[in-house]
Amino acid sequence: MKVFEIGNGQTVIKGPSHYYSCSEGDSTVMLYKGEEEDEPVIRFSIIYFQRAEGITQKDIINDFKEKAVRQNAQFITHIGKSFFSYDSESQEDLYIRIFEIMYEENIIVVSLTATNEDKGTDKIKVYLEEITEMIKSIDSLSSLKFPILEPRYEDIDYLVTEVTKVLDVPGEKIAQYHESGKSVEILQDILTRRDYAINDYKYHCALGLLFGDCLQSANNSFHWVIVHDQYGRELALQYQDFALQCFPISMITKRIEDEVEINVTQLMDEVITHIESESDKDKGFTRIEHNF
């Protein structure tokens, strides 16, 4: 299972691990499998609004119920959410199923878009069942004990882009550089020579991302996640399914800021040894059920 951010990132959903996500504009997140061309896609969009003076929550819910009646749709409630769904006829050559959800005082619109040939198939039935479960899982980011989220496509694209800039190689060669140890050598050389402007924080972050990518390549028990908490939103590395993360960007940028000498290989070994010992010594260390 994965946890995805929707809207402005303060609302989350839980979905099957075979989905990936990317942003479409400021308020829409698309979920996709990436397995085939013309596959069905799911979009979550949040419509934020302020209640007009004199309008009560009961008035809003009654209006929402009346809309379900006009659509001849079943009105469903589930733990702080109300929703209904219907087929849209807006595109003749596509099958589109719309779900409208009232969550708190916002409206969330979910759409499933597929080819007409897929309409009514078992494949679409599974998609609709999964969407219903995702809708039921809608909650606030603050509800998560461990705010570890699935990276969006643009997060991984940013990671790859920054790493390729530092290594000065095409993206398809990154794995080769990691396997040969050349990426560690390049990073070490940059840090030893301090080949960066002291106030170029963006480049410092890129060095941190390269460090994290080297670490993940050296030990595939780590995987990239997004940690979204009171300090902000940052790419981090989670260890297996434990609630254990390290923050490679901060690890490098902080050391650069403090003008500390950095031995890349030694730092990698220290991180791996510390986290492995933490997970081994305490058999009751928290494991989380998502984003692994």
Side-chain angles (χ1 to χ4, degrees):
M1 181 177 66
K2 295 177 179 178
V3 177
F4 300 95
E5 302 165 285
I6 60 174
N8 60 8
Q10 297 303 307
T11 305
V12 297
I13 58 170
K14 295 178 181 178
S17 294
H18 49 249
Y19 285 108
Y20 301 92
S21 72
C22 68
S23 298
E24 286 191 341
D26 295 333
S27 61
T28 300
V29 170
M30 182 175 78
L31 300 188
Y32 61 96
K33 296 181 181 179
E35 297 174 345
E36 57 185 338
E37 292 185 8
D38 296 326
E39 70 178 16
V41 295
I42 303 167
R43 291 177 173 85
F44 277 78
S45 302
I46 299 185
I47 302 171
Y48 302 99
F49 64 91
Q50 289 185 328
R51 188 191 307 176
E53 186 176 353
I55 301 297
T56 66
Q57 183 69 9
K58 184 177 180 180
D59 293 332
I60 295 173
I61 293 174
N62 286 336
D63 286 344
F64 197 63
K65 286 181 177 180
E66 289 176 7
K67 186 172 183 181
V69 171
R70 292 195 298 272
Q71 292 289 350
N72 196 28
Q74 181 183 7
F75 188 82
I76 301 169
T77 59
H78 180 83
I79 312 177
K81 289 153 301 254
S82 302
F83 64 97
F84 59 90
S85 67
Y86 53 90
D87 288 344
S88 171
E89 306 295 335
S90 60
Q91 299 287 334
E92 292 183 1
D93 57 338
L94 294 173
Y95 169 67
I96 302 176
R97 184 75 175 181
I98 303 293
F99 294 76
E100 296 193 30
I101 305 105
M102 176 168 287
Y103 171 64
E104 295 180 338
E105 293 195 1
N106 301 314
I107 299 295
I108 301 175
V109 178
V110 182
S111 65
L112 173 67
T113 305
T115 64
N116 271 326
E117 290 76 14
D118 285 333
K119 182 178 179 179
T121 62
D122 288 342
K123 177 169 72 173
I124 292 300
K125 181 180 179 182
V126 171
Y127 271 94
L128 295 176
E129 290 172 350
E130 290 177 340
I131 290 171
T132 299
E133 292 306 307
M134 284 189 267
I135 289 171
K136 291 179 179 178
S137 76
I138 293 171
D139 212 334
S140 66
L141 175 66
S142 61
S143 71
L144 298 178
K145 184 176 181 181
F146 302 102
I148 301 173
L149 311 172
E150 176 70 5
R152 294 178 180 174
Y153 169 82
E154 50 268 29
D155 295 314
I156 302 302
D157 184 60
Y158 166 67
L159 164 67
V160 173
T161 299
E162 295 304 297
V163 168
T164 56
K165 285 180 182 178
V166 176
L167 295 178
D168 194 24
V169 297
E172 59 268 20
K173 287 192 175 182
I174 292 176
Q176 177 185 331
Y177 270 52
H178 286 338
E179 290 169 9
S180 68
K182 194 169 183 179
S183 53
V184 171
E185 293 176 8
I186 292 172
L187 177 58
Q188 184 64 70
D189 184 56
I190 293 170
L191 293 171
T192 299
R193 292 187 294 108
R194 301 193 178 185
D195 189 15
Y196 47 78
I198 196 64
N199 60 349
D200 190 354
Y201 185 72
K202 188 175 189 299
Y203 188 66
H204 302 170
C205 289
L207 296 176
L209 288 169
L210 175 55
F211 173 72
D213 221 33
C214 291
L215 182 60
Q216 194 277 330
S217 177
N219 188 319
N220 59 14
S221 290
F222 291 95
H223 58 279
W224 287 104
V225 295
I226 290 291
V227 174
H228 195 160
D229 56 21
Q230 67 269 30
Y231 302 107
R233 185 180 185 276
E234 184 174 346
L235 275 161
L237 288 172
Q238 180 185 354
Y239 181 71
Q240 295 184 12
D241 61 344
F242 290 97
L244 286 171
Q245 309 93 48
C246 65
F247 296 84
I249 296 175
S250 299
M251 292 175 72
I252 296 300
T253 58
K254 180 63 175 173
R255 284 168 170 80
I256 290 175
E257 180 184 337
D258 294 341
E259 298 185 359
V260 173
E261 296 291 337
I262 303 173
N263 183 313
V264 175
T265 301
Q266 180 180 328
L267 185 57
M268 288 171 58
D269 289 342
E270 288 175 357
V271 172
I272 293 171
T273 299
H274 174 71
I275 287 188
E276 286 183 342
S277 65
E278 286 296 305
S279 62
D280 287 342
K281 73 183 180 183
D282 184 357
K283 300 303 181 182
F285 206 96
T286 304
R287 293 176 181 266
I288 56 179
E289 62 179 5
H290 61 269
N291 294 71
F292 175 66

